[in-house]
Amino acid sequence: MSIHTKSDFKISSWDQRPYDEPKDGATLLQIDVKRSFQGDIEAESTAVLLMCQAGDGSAGYVATEKVVGRIGSRFGSFVIQHGGAVASGNVTDSFGYVVPGSGTDELQGLRGHCVWHHDEHEATFTLDYDIE
């Protein structure tokens, strides 16, 4: 049975740079992000996002993110991969999971799925996980 966690997060650093800016069509960006988490997860993370941003505001991204800190009473690190698409300001599709075998220290054997929620009122991260 999975354990459900929810944490607030803040973005402490966002460094984006385009790597393809065509005259017509979508812009491709690489973004380095740092976050801090407070709640069921107390941690810091670093991520690299690859984003496609269309002229109408639609976008899609994929990311690999290393999280270092505490889940409950367990300390260690783990890696998540996540992504999503946004059209007309609404998330239309998203995914997120713990990379198998990426857990260290007391988080070895961690597996699970995650969801990001970010709007003008809150920024939350939920993780449903098991530890083998």
Side-chain angles (χ1 to χ4, degrees), residues 19-28 52-56:
Y19 64 92
D20 187 4
E21 293 181 281
K23 182 177 177 182
D24 295 318
T27 298
L28 302 180
C52 172
Q53 192 162 34
D56 67 356

Side-chain angles (χ1 to χ4, degrees), residues 14 20 27 38 45 62 65 80 88 95 99 102 107 124-125:
W14 180 279
D20 187 4
T27 298
Q38 294 182 340
S45 73
V62 293
E65 186 158 355
I80 54 176
S88 301
F95 69 90
V99 174
S102 68
L107 297 177
T124 59
F125 172 73

Side-chain angles (χ1 to χ4, degrees), residues 25-45:
T27 298
L28 302 180
L29 305 159
Q30 179 177 326
I31 306 165
D32 296 325
V33 179
K34 293 185 181 188
R35 301 180 218 259
S36 60
F37 299 82
Q38 294 182 340
D40 296 332
I41 298 174
E42 297 283 336
E44 303 287 325
S45 73

Side-chain angles (χ1 to χ4, degrees), residues 109-124:
L110 182 73
R111 60 184 177 180
H113 291 88
C114 61
V115 176
W116 299 91
H117 175 77
H118 194 220
D119 62 26
E120 64 275 0
H121 304 291
E122 66 179 353
T124 59

Side-chain angles (χ1 to χ4, degrees), residues 32-113:
D32 296 325
V33 179
K34 293 185 181 188
R35 301 180 218 259
S36 60
F37 299 82
Q38 294 182 340
D40 296 332
I41 298 174
E42 297 283 336
E44 303 287 325
S45 73
T46 57
V48 174
L49 285 70
L50 297 178
M51 181 177 281
C52 172
Q53 192 162 34
D56 67 356
S58 299
Y61 83 94
V62 293
T64 299
E65 186 158 355
K66 183 176 183 180
V67 180
V68 179
R70 176 188 62 76
I71 300 176
S73 62
R74 296 174 180 255
F75 288 87
S77 68
F78 59 98
V79 175
I80 54 176
Q81 290 184 321
H82 53 96
V86 177
S88 301
N90 298 309
V91 175
T92 60
D93 197 15
S94 66
F95 69 90
Y97 57 86
V98 175
V99 174
S102 68
T104 67
D105 301 319
E106 296 173 317
L107 297 177
Q108 287 184 16
L110 182 73
R111 60 184 177 180
H113 291 88

